[in-house]
Coordinates of all heavy atoms in Angstrom, one line a residue:
M1 N 10.9 -9.8 -39.0 CA 11.8 -10.3 -38.1 C 12.5 -9.3 -37.3 O 12.8 -8.1 -37.7 CB 12.8 -11.1 -38.9 CG 14.0 -11.7 -38.1 SD 15.0 -12.7 -39.2 CE 14.8 -14.3 -38.3
I2 N 12.6 -9.5 -36.0 CA 13.2 -8.5 -35.1 C 14.7 -8.7 -35.2 O 15.4 -9.6 -35.0 CB 12.8 -8.8 -33.6 CG1 11.2 -8.6 -33.5 CG2 13.5 -7.9 -32.7 CD1 10.7 -8.9 -32.1
F3 N 15.4 -7.5 -35.3 CA 16.8 -7.5 -35.5 C 17.4 -7.4 -34.0 O 16.7 -7.2 -33.1 CB 17.2 -6.1 -36.2 CG 16.8 -6.1 -37.6 CD1 15.8 -5.3 -37.9 CD2 17.4 -6.9 -38.5 CE1 15.3 -5.2 -39.3 CE2 17.0 -6.8 -39.9 CZ 16.0 -6.0 -40.3
L4 N 18.6 -7.8 -33.9 CA 19.3 -7.9 -32.7 C 19.2 -6.7 -31.8 O 18.9 -6.7 -30.6 CB 20.8 -8.3 -32.9 CG 21.6 -8.6 -31.7 CD1 21.0 -9.7 -30.9 CD2 23.1 -8.9 -32.0
E5 N 19.4 -5.5 -32.4 CA 19.4 -4.3 -31.7 C 18.1 -4.0 -31.1 O 17.9 -3.6 -29.9 CB 19.7 -3.1 -32.7 CG 21.2 -3.0 -33.0 CD 21.4 -1.8 -34.0 OE1 20.6 -0.7 -33.9 OE2 22.4 -1.9 -34.8
E6 N 17.0 -4.3 -31.9 CA 15.6 -4.2 -31.3 C 15.3 -5.1 -30.3 O 14.6 -4.8 -29.2 CB 14.6 -4.4 -32.5 CG 14.6 -3.2 -33.5 CD 13.8 -3.5 -34.7 OE1 13.4 -4.6 -34.9 OE2 13.5 -2.5 -35.4
K7 N 15.8 -6.3 -30.4 CA 15.6 -7.3 -29.3 C 16.3 -6.9 -28.1 O 15.8 -7.0 -26.9 CB 16.2 -8.6 -29.7 CG 16.0 -9.8 -28.8 CD 16.4 -11.1 -29.3 CE 16.1 -12.2 -28.4 NZ 16.4 -13.5 -28.9
V8 N 17.5 -6.3 -28.1 CA 18.3 -5.8 -27.0 C 17.5 -4.7 -26.3 O 17.4 -4.6 -25.1 CB 19.8 -5.4 -27.3 CG1 20.4 -4.7 -26.2 CG2 20.5 -6.6 -27.8
K9 N 16.9 -3.8 -27.0 CA 16.2 -2.7 -26.6 C 15.0 -3.2 -25.8 O 14.7 -2.7 -24.8 CB 15.8 -1.7 -27.7 CG 16.8 -0.9 -28.2 CD 16.4 0.0 -29.3 CE 17.5 1.0 -29.9 NZ 17.1 1.8 -31.0
I10 N 14.3 -4.1 -26.5 CA 13.0 -4.6 -25.8 C 13.5 -5.2 -24.5 O 12.8 -5.1 -23.5 CB 12.4 -5.8 -26.8 CG1 11.7 -4.9 -27.9 CG2 11.3 -6.5 -26.0 CD1 11.2 -5.8 -29.0
E11 N 14.5 -6.1 -24.5 CA 14.9 -6.8 -23.2 C 15.3 -5.7 -22.1 O 15.0 -5.9 -21.0 CB 16.1 -7.7 -23.4 CG 15.7 -9.0 -24.2 CD 16.9 -9.9 -24.5 OE1 18.0 -9.6 -24.1 OE2 16.6 -10.9 -25.2
R12 N 16.0 -4.7 -22.5 CA 16.4 -3.6 -21.6 C 15.1 -2.9 -21.1 O 15.1 -2.7 -19.9 CB 17.3 -2.6 -22.3 CG 18.2 -1.8 -21.5 CD 19.1 -0.9 -22.2 NE 20.1 -1.7 -23.0 CZ 20.7 -1.3 -24.0 NH1 20.4 -0.1 -24.5 NH2 21.5 -2.1 -24.6
L13 N 14.1 -2.6 -21.9 CA 13.0 -2.0 -21.4 C 12.2 -2.8 -20.5 O 11.6 -2.5 -19.5 CB 12.1 -1.6 -22.6 CG 12.6 -0.4 -23.4 CD1 11.7 -0.2 -24.7 CD2 12.5 0.8 -22.5
E14 N 12.2 -4.1 -20.8 CA 11.5 -5.2 -19.9 C 12.1 -5.2 -18.6 O 11.4 -5.2 -17.5 CB 11.5 -6.6 -20.6 CG 10.4 -6.6 -21.7 CD 10.5 -7.9 -22.4 OE1 11.5 -8.7 -22.3 OE2 9.5 -8.3 -23.1
N15 N 13.4 -5.2 -18.6 CA 14.1 -5.2 -17.2 C 13.9 -4.0 -16.6 O 13.8 -4.0 -15.3 CB 15.7 -5.4 -17.5 CG 16.0 -6.9 -17.9 OD1 15.2 -7.8 -17.6 ND2 17.1 -7.0 -18.7
Q16 N 13.8 -2.9 -17.2 CA 13.6 -1.6 -16.6 C 12.1 -1.5 -15.9 O 12.0 -1.1 -14.7 CB 13.7 -0.4 -17.5 CG 13.6 0.9 -16.9 CD 13.8 2.1 -17.8 OE1 13.9 1.8 -19.0 NE2 13.9 3.3 -17.4
I17 N 11.3 -2.0 -16.6 CA 9.9 -2.1 -16.2 C 9.8 -3.1 -14.8 O 9.2 -2.7 -13.9 CB 8.9 -2.7 -17.2 CG1 8.8 -1.7 -18.3 CG2 7.6 -3.1 -16.5 CD1 8.0 -2.2 -19.5
K18 N 10.6 -4.2 -14.9 CA 10.6 -5.1 -13.7 C 11.2 -4.4 -12.5 O 10.7 -4.5 -11.4 CB 11.3 -6.4 -14.1 CG 10.6 -7.2 -15.0 CD 11.4 -8.5 -15.4 CE 10.7 -9.3 -16.5 NZ 11.4 -10.5 -16.9
R19 N 12.3 -3.6 -12.8 CA 12.9 -2.9 -11.6 C 11.9 -1.9 -11.1 O 11.8 -1.7 -9.9 CB 14.3 -2.4 -12.1 CG 15.4 -3.2 -12.1 CD 16.8 -2.4 -12.3 NE 16.7 -1.5 -13.4 CZ 17.0 -1.6 -14.5 NH1 17.3 -2.8 -15.0 NH2 17.0 -0.7 -15.5
L20 N 11.3 -1.1 -11.9 CA 10.4 -0.1 -11.5 C 9.3 -0.7 -10.8 O 8.9 -0.1 -9.7 CB 9.8 0.7 -12.7 CG 10.9 1.6 -13.3 CD1 10.4 2.2 -14.7 CD2 11.3 2.8 -12.4
E21 N 8.6 -1.8 -11.2 CA 7.6 -2.5 -10.4 C 8.1 -3.0 -9.1 O 7.4 -2.8 -8.1 CB 7.1 -3.6 -11.3 CG 6.3 -3.2 -12.5 CD 5.8 -4.5 -13.4 OE1 6.4 -5.5 -13.3 OE2 4.8 -4.3 -14.0
F22 N 9.3 -3.5 -9.0 CA 9.9 -3.9 -7.8 C 10.0 -2.8 -6.7 O 9.6 -2.9 -5.7 CB 11.1 -4.6 -8.0 CG 11.8 -5.1 -6.8 CD1 11.5 -6.3 -6.2 CD2 12.9 -4.4 -6.3 CE1 12.1 -6.7 -5.0 CE2 13.6 -4.8 -5.1 CZ 13.2 -6.0 -4.4
N23 N 10.6 -1.6 -7.3 CA 10.8 -0.5 -6.5 C 9.4 0.1 -6.0 O 9.3 0.5 -4.9 CB 11.6 0.6 -7.2 CG 13.0 0.2 -7.5 OD1 13.6 -0.7 -6.7 ND2 13.7 0.9 -8.4
Q24 N 8.5 0.1 -6.8 CA 7.1 0.6 -6.4 C 6.6 -0.3 -5.4 O 6.0 0.2 -4.4 CB 6.1 0.7 -7.7 CG 4.8 1.1 -7.3 CD 3.9 0.9 -8.5 OE1 4.1 0.2 -9.4 NE2 2.8 1.6 -8.4
N25 N 6.7 -1.6 -5.5 CA 6.2 -2.5 -4.4 C 6.8 -2.3 -3.1 O 6.2 -2.2 -2.1 CB 6.4 -3.9 -4.9 CG 5.3 -4.4 -6.0 OD1 4.4 -3.7 -6.1 ND2 5.7 -5.4 -6.7
I26 N 8.1 -2.0 -3.1 CA 8.8 -1.7 -1.9 C 8.4 -0.4 -1.3 O 8.2 -0.4 -0.1 CB 10.4 -1.7 -2.1 CG1 10.9 -3.1 -2.4 CG2 11.1 -1.1 -0.9 CD1 12.3 -3.1 -2.8
L27 N 8.3 0.6 -2.1 CA 7.9 1.9 -1.6 C 6.4 1.8 -1.1 O 6.1 2.3 0.0 CB 7.9 3.0 -2.7 CG 9.3 3.4 -3.1 CD1 9.2 4.3 -4.3 CD2 9.9 4.1 -1.9
M28 N 5.6 1.1 -1.6 CA 4.2 1.0 -1.2 C 4.2 0.3 0.1 O 3.4 0.6 1.0 CB 3.3 0.2 -2.2 CG 3.1 1.0 -3.5 SD 2.3 2.5 -3.2 CE 0.7 2.0 -2.8
K29 N 5.0 -0.8 0.3 CA 5.0 -1.5 1.6 C 5.5 -0.6 2.8 O 5.0 -0.6 3.8 CB 5.9 -2.8 1.5 CG 5.3 -3.9 0.7 CD 6.2 -5.1 0.6 CE 5.5 -6.2 -0.2 NZ 6.3 -7.3 -0.5
V30 N 6.5 0.2 2.4 CA 7.1 1.1 3.4 C 6.0 2.2 3.8 O 5.9 2.4 5.0 CB 8.4 1.7 2.9 CG1 8.8 2.9 3.8 CG2 9.5 0.7 2.8
L31 N 5.4 2.7 2.8 CA 4.4 3.8 3.1 C 3.2 3.2 3.7 O 2.7 3.9 4.6 CB 4.1 4.5 1.7 CG 5.1 5.2 1.2 CD1 4.7 5.8 -0.3 CD2 5.5 6.5 2.0
L32 N 2.8 2.1 3.4 CA 1.5 1.6 3.9 C 1.7 0.8 5.2 O 0.7 0.6 5.9 CB 0.8 0.7 2.8 CG 0.4 1.6 1.6 CD1 -0.3 0.5 0.6 CD2 -0.6 2.8 1.9
S33 N 2.9 0.4 5.5 CA 3.0 -0.5 6.7 C 3.3 0.4 7.9 O 3.3 -0.2 9.0 CB 4.1 -1.5 6.4 OG 5.4 -0.8 6.4
N34 N 3.6 1.6 7.8 CA 3.8 2.4 8.9 C 2.5 3.1 9.5 O 2.1 4.0 9.0 CB 4.8 3.5 8.6 CG 6.2 3.0 8.2 OD1 6.6 2.0 8.6 ND2 6.9 3.7 7.4
E35 N 2.0 2.4 10.6 CA 0.9 2.9 11.3 C 1.3 4.2 12.0 O 2.1 4.1 12.9 CB 0.3 1.8 12.2 CG -0.9 2.3 13.0 CD -1.5 1.1 13.7 OE1 -1.9 0.1 13.3 OE2 -1.4 1.3 15.0
P36 N 0.6 5.3 11.7 CA 1.0 6.6 12.5 C 0.7 6.4 13.9 O -0.2 5.7 14.4 CB 0.1 7.6 11.9 CG -0.6 6.9 10.7 CD -0.4 5.5 10.8
D37 N 1.5 7.0 14.8 CA 1.4 7.0 16.2 C -0.1 7.6 16.6 O -0.6 7.0 17.5 CB 2.4 7.8 16.9 CG 3.9 7.1 16.9 OD1 3.8 5.8 16.6 OD2 4.9 7.9 17.0
W38 N -0.4 8.6 16.0 CA -1.8 9.2 16.4 C -3.0 8.3 16.0 O -4.1 8.6 16.7 CB -1.9 10.6 15.7 CG -1.8 10.6 14.1 CD1 -0.5 10.9 13.6 CD2 -2.7 10.2 13.2 NE1 -0.8 10.7 12.1 CE2 -2.1 10.3 11.9 CE3 -4.0 9.7 13.3 CZ2 -2.7 10.0 10.7 CZ3 -4.6 9.5 12.1 CH2 -4.0 9.6 10.8
S39 N -2.8 7.3 15.3 CA -3.9 6.4 15.0 C -4.0 5.0 15.9 O -5.0 4.4 15.7 CB -3.9 6.0 13.6 OG -2.8 5.1 13.3
K40 N -3.0 4.9 16.7 CA -3.0 3.6 17.4 C -4.1 3.3 18.3 O -4.7 2.3 18.3 CB -1.7 3.5 18.2 CG -0.5 3.4 17.4 CD 0.7 3.2 18.1 CE 2.1 3.2 17.3 NZ 2.2 2.2 16.3
K41 N -4.7 4.3 19.1 CA -5.8 4.1 19.9 C -7.0 3.9 19.1 O -7.9 3.0 19.4 CB -6.0 5.4 20.8 CG -5.0 5.6 22.0 CD -5.4 6.7 22.8 CE -4.3 6.9 23.8 NZ -4.7 8.1 24.6
S42 N -7.2 4.7 18.0 CA -8.5 4.5 17.2 C -8.4 3.2 16.5 O -9.5 2.5 16.3 CB -8.5 5.6 16.2 OG -7.4 5.7 15.4
I43 N -7.2 2.7 16.1 CA -7.2 1.3 15.4 C -7.5 0.2 16.4 O -8.2 -0.8 16.1 CB -5.8 1.1 14.8 CG1 -5.6 1.9 13.5 CG2 -5.6 -0.5 14.3 CD1 -6.5 1.7 12.3
E44 N -7.0 0.3 17.6 CA -7.2 -0.6 18.6 C -8.7 -0.7 19.0 O -9.3 -1.7 19.1 CB -6.4 -0.3 19.9 CG -4.9 -0.6 19.7 CD -4.1 -0.1 20.9 OE1 -4.6 0.4 21.9 OE2 -2.8 -0.2 20.7
A45 N -9.3 0.5 19.1 CA -10.7 0.6 19.4 C -11.5 -0.1 18.3 O -12.5 -0.8 18.5 CB -11.2 2.0 19.6
A46 N -11.2 0.3 17.1 CA -11.9 -0.3 15.9 C -11.7 -1.9 15.7 O -12.7 -2.6 15.6 CB -11.4 0.3 14.6
E47 N -10.6 -2.3 16.1 CA -10.3 -3.8 16.1 C -11.2 -4.5 17.3 O -11.7 -5.6 17.1 CB -8.9 -4.1 16.3 CG -8.2 -3.8 15.0 CD -6.6 -4.0 15.1 OE1 -6.1 -4.0 16.3 OE2 -5.9 -4.0 14.1
R48 N -11.3 -3.8 18.4 CA -12.2 -4.4 19.4 C -13.7 -4.5 19.0 O -14.3 -5.3 19.5 CB -12.0 -3.5 20.7 CG -10.7 -3.7 21.5 CD -10.8 -3.1 23.0 NE -11.1 -1.7 22.8 CZ -10.1 -0.7 22.8 NH1 -8.9 -1.0 22.7 NH2 -10.5 0.6 22.9
K49 N -14.0 -3.5 18.2 CA -15.4 -3.4 17.8 C -15.6 -4.3 16.5 O -16.7 -4.4 16.0 CB -15.8 -2.1 17.4 CG -16.1 -1.2 18.6 CD -17.3 -1.8 19.3 CE -17.8 -0.8 20.4 NZ -18.9 -1.3 21.1
G50 N -14.5 -5.0 16.2 CA -14.7 -6.1 15.0 C -14.2 -5.6 13.6 O -14.5 -6.2 12.6
L51 N -13.2 -4.7 13.6 CA -12.6 -4.3 12.3 C -11.9 -5.6 11.8 O -11.1 -6.1 12.5 CB -11.6 -3.2 12.5 CG -10.8 -2.8 11.2 CD1 -11.7 -2.2 10.3 CD2 -9.7 -1.8 11.6
N52 N -12.3 -6.0 10.6 CA -11.6 -7.1 10.0 C -10.9 -6.6 8.8 O -11.3 -5.7 8.1 CB -12.7 -8.1 9.5 CG -13.4 -8.8 10.6 OD1 -12.8 -9.1 11.7 ND2 -14.7 -9.0 10.7
S53 N -9.9 -7.4 8.4 CA -9.2 -7.1 7.2 C -9.8 -7.9 6.0 O -10.1 -9.0 6.1 CB -7.6 -7.5 7.4 OG -7.0 -6.9 8.3
F54 N -10.0 -7.2 4.9 CA -10.4 -7.7 3.7 C -9.4 -7.4 2.6 O -9.8 -6.6 1.7 CB -11.8 -7.3 3.3 CG -12.8 -7.6 4.4 CD1 -13.4 -6.6 5.3 CD2 -13.3 -8.9 4.5 CE1 -14.3 -7.0 6.3 CE2 -14.2 -9.3 5.5 CZ -14.7 -8.2 6.4
P55 N -8.2 -7.9 2.6 CA -7.2 -7.4 1.6 C -7.7 -7.6 0.2 O -7.3 -6.8 -0.7 CB -6.0 -8.2 1.9 CG -6.5 -9.4 2.7 CD -7.7 -8.9 3.4
Y56 N -8.6 -8.6 -0.2 CA -8.9 -8.8 -1.6 C -9.9 -7.7 -2.0 O -10.1 -7.6 -3.2 CB -9.6 -10.1 -1.6 CG -10.7 -10.4 -0.6 CD1 -12.0 -10.0 -0.9 CD2 -10.4 -11.1 0.6 CE1 -13.0 -10.3 0.0 CE2 -11.4 -11.2 1.5 CZ -12.7 -10.9 1.2 OH -13.7 -11.1 2.1
I57 N -10.4 -6.8 -1.2 CA -11.2 -5.7 -1.6 C -10.5 -4.3 -1.2 O -11.1 -3.3 -1.3 CB -12.7 -5.8 -1.2 CG1 -12.7 -5.7 0.4 CG2 -13.3 -6.9 -1.8 CD1 -14.2 -5.5 0.9
G58 N -9.3 -4.4 -0.7 CA -8.6 -3.2 -0.4 C -8.9 -2.6 1.0 O -8.4 -1.6 1.3
V59 N -9.4 -3.4 1.9 CA -9.6 -3.0 3.2 C -8.7 -3.8 4.1 O -8.7 -5.0 4.2 CB -11.1 -3.3 3.7 CG1 -11.3 -2.8 5.2 CG2 -12.0 -2.5 2.8
D60 N -7.8 -3.1 4.7 CA -6.7 -3.8 5.6 C -6.5 -2.9 6.7 O -6.5 -1.6 6.7 CB -5.5 -3.9 4.7 CG -4.4 -4.8 5.3 OD1 -4.6 -5.3 6.5 OD2 -3.5 -5.1 4.7
S61 N -6.2 -3.4 7.9 CA -5.9 -2.7 9.1 C -4.5 -2.0 9.0 O -4.1 -1.4 9.9 CB -6.0 -3.5 10.3 OG -5.1 -4.5 10.3
A62 N -3.7 -2.3 7.9 CA -2.5 -1.7 7.7 C -2.7 -0.9 6.4 O -2.0 -1.1 5.4 CB -1.3 -2.7 7.4
G63 N -3.6 0.0 6.4 CA -4.0 0.8 5.3 C -3.3 2.1 5.0 O -2.3 2.3 5.6
S64 N -3.8 2.8 4.1 CA -3.2 4.1 3.7 C -3.5 5.2 4.8 O -4.3 5.0 5.8 CB -3.7 4.5 2.4 OG -5.2 4.9 2.5
Y65 N -2.9 6.3 4.7 CA -3.2 7.4 5.6 C -4.7 7.8 5.5 O -5.2 8.1 6.6 CB -2.3 8.6 5.3 CG -1.1 8.6 6.1 CD1 -0.1 7.6 5.9 CD2 -0.8 9.5 7.1 CE1 1.1 7.6 6.7 CE2 0.3 9.4 7.9 CZ 1.2 8.6 7.7 OH 2.4 8.6 8.4
D66 N -5.3 7.7 4.4 CA -6.7 8.0 4.3 C -7.5 7.0 5.2 O -8.5 7.4 6.0 CB -7.3 7.9 2.9 CG -6.9 9.0 2.0 OD1 -6.5 10.1 2.6 OD2 -6.8 8.9 0.8
F67 N -7.1 5.7 5.2 CA -7.7 4.8 6.1 C -7.6 5.2 7.5 O -8.6 5.2 8.3 CB -7.1 3.4 5.8 CG -7.5 2.4 6.8 CD1 -8.7 1.6 6.6 CD2 -6.7 2.0 7.8 CE1 -9.1 0.6 7.6 CE2 -7.0 1.0 8.7 CZ -8.2 0.3 8.6
Y68 N -6.3 5.5 7.9 CA -6.1 5.9 9.3 C -6.9 7.1 9.7 O -7.4 7.3 10.9 CB -4.6 6.1 9.6 CG -3.9 4.8 9.4 CD1 -2.8 4.7 8.6 CD2 -4.1 3.7 10.3 CE1 -2.1 3.5 8.4 CE2 -3.4 2.6 10.2 CZ -2.4 2.4 9.2 OH -1.7 1.3 9.2
R69 N -6.9 8.1 8.8 CA -7.7 9.3 9.1 C -9.2 9.1 9.2 O -9.8 9.6 10.2 CB -7.6 10.3 7.9 CG -6.2 11.0 8.0 CD -6.2 12.0 6.7 NE -4.8 12.4 6.6 CZ -4.1 12.3 5.4 NH1 -4.6 11.7 4.4 NH2 -2.9 12.8 5.4
I70 N -9.8 8.2 8.5 CA -11.1 7.8 8.6 C -11.5 7.1 9.9 O -12.4 7.5 10.7 CB -11.7 7.0 7.4 CG1 -11.7 7.9 6.2 CG2 -13.1 6.4 7.7 CD1 -11.9 7.1 4.9
I71 N -10.6 6.2 10.2 CA -10.8 5.4 11.5 C -10.6 6.3 12.7 O -11.4 6.3 13.6 CB -9.8 4.2 11.5 CG1 -10.0 3.2 10.4 CG2 -9.8 3.6 12.9 CD1 -11.4 2.4 10.6
D72 N -9.7 7.2 12.6 CA -9.5 8.3 13.7 C -10.7 9.1 13.9 O -11.1 9.4 15.0 CB -8.2 9.0 13.4 CG -7.7 9.8 14.6 OD1 -7.6 9.1 15.7 OD2 -7.5 11.0 14.6
L73 N -11.3 9.5 12.7 CA -12.4 10.4 12.8 C -13.6 9.7 13.5 O -14.3 10.2 14.3 CB -12.8 10.9 11.3 CG -14.0 11.7 11.2 CD1 -13.9 13.0 12.0 CD2 -14.5 11.9 9.8
L74 N -13.8 8.4 13.0 CA -14.9 7.6 13.6 C -14.7 7.4 15.1 O -15.7 7.5 15.9 CB -15.0 6.3 12.8 CG -15.4 6.4 11.4 CD1 -15.3 4.9 10.8 CD2 -16.7 6.9 11.2
Y75 N -13.4 7.2 15.5 CA -13.1 7.0 16.8 C -13.4 8.3 17.6 O -14.0 8.3 18.7 CB -11.7 6.7 17.0 CG -11.1 6.6 18.4 CD1 -11.4 5.6 19.3 CD2 -10.2 7.6 18.9 CE1 -11.0 5.5 20.6 CE2 -9.7 7.5 20.1 CZ -10.1 6.4 21.0 OH -9.6 6.4 22.3
K76 N -13.0 9.4 17.1 CA -13.3 10.7 17.8 C -14.8 11.1 17.8 O -15.2 11.8 18.8 CB -12.5 11.8 17.1 CG -11.0 11.8 17.3 CD -10.2 12.8 16.6 CE -8.7 12.7 16.8 NZ -7.9 13.6 16.0
L77 N -15.5 10.5 16.9 CA -16.9 10.8 17.0 C -17.7 9.9 18.0 O -18.8 10.0 18.2 CB -17.6 10.5 15.6 CG -17.2 11.6 14.5 CD1 -17.7 11.3 13.2 CD2 -17.8 13.0 15.0
G78 N -16.9 8.9 18.5 CA -17.4 8.0 19.5 C -18.1 6.8 19.1 O -18.7 6.1 19.7
L79 N -17.9 6.4 17.8 CA -18.5 5.3 17.3 C -17.9 3.9 17.6 O -18.5 2.8 17.2 CB -18.5 5.4 15.7 CG -19.3 6.7 15.2 CD1 -19.1 6.8 13.6 CD2 -20.7 6.6 15.5
F80 N -16.7 4.0 18.3 CA -16.2 2.8 18.7 C -16.3 2.6 20.2 O -15.7 1.7 20.8 CB -14.7 2.7 18.3 CG -14.5 2.7 16.9 CD1 -13.6 3.5 16.2 CD2 -15.3 1.9 16.0 CE1 -13.3 3.6 14.9 CE2 -15.1 2.0 14.6 CZ -14.2 2.8 14.0
D81 N -17.0 3.4 20.8 CA -17.2 3.2 22.3 C -18.2 2.0 22.7 O -19.0 1.6 21.9 CB -17.8 4.5 22.9 CG -16.9 5.7 22.8 OD1 -15.6 5.5 22.7 OD2 -17.3 6.9 22.8

């Protein structure tokens, strides 16, 4: 049987986990939603060539900096002309 003190500790830890998950989600949205200025032309060119969002497999036009770097590199190589 779980004593009252243990139950309070468990509830406190569960609440802390929920707060941390919430904060992590907010931070991820802030970090991933800011399209860098240097990538705007390359993203527009990629979208004209048919870049589609597939959020269920992690491909999104509002991606990570790695996503923007790759799209910018492909653009600079002329693959979206």
Side-chain angles (χ1 to χ4, degrees):
M1 180 173 232
I2 297 179
F3 296 105
L4 183 60
E5 288 179 26
E6 292 172 338
K7 186 175 181 179
V8 170
K9 286 180 183 180
I10 290 172
E11 288 177 4
R12 200 175 295 152
L13 288 171
E14 287 175 343
N15 288 334
Q16 184 178 10
I17 289 169
K18 288 176 185 176
R19 279 194 313 272
L20 290 170
E21 288 174 340
F22 178 77
N23 290 339
Q24 179 187 16
N25 287 335
I26 290 173
L27 287 172
M28 293 302 289
K29 286 180 183 179
V30 168
L31 291 174
L32 297 180
S33 67
N34 294 331
E35 183 178 292
D37 290 336
W38 51 264
S39 72
K40 292 187 187 294
K41 286 183 184 178
S42 56
I43 293 294
E44 290 171 3
E47 287 174 344
R48 282 194 302 273
K49 285 294 185 177
L51 173 69
N52 293 320
S53 296
F54 299 105
Y56 51 89
I57 60 170
V59 177
D60 192 353
S61 60
S64 67
Y65 266 68
D66 289 336
F67 172 82
Y68 293 118
R69 287 183 189 119
I70 290 170
I71 296 297
D72 194 53
L73 175 64
L74 295 174
Y75 175 72
K76 288 177 180 174
L77 291 172
L79 297 175
F80 300 134
D81 293 336

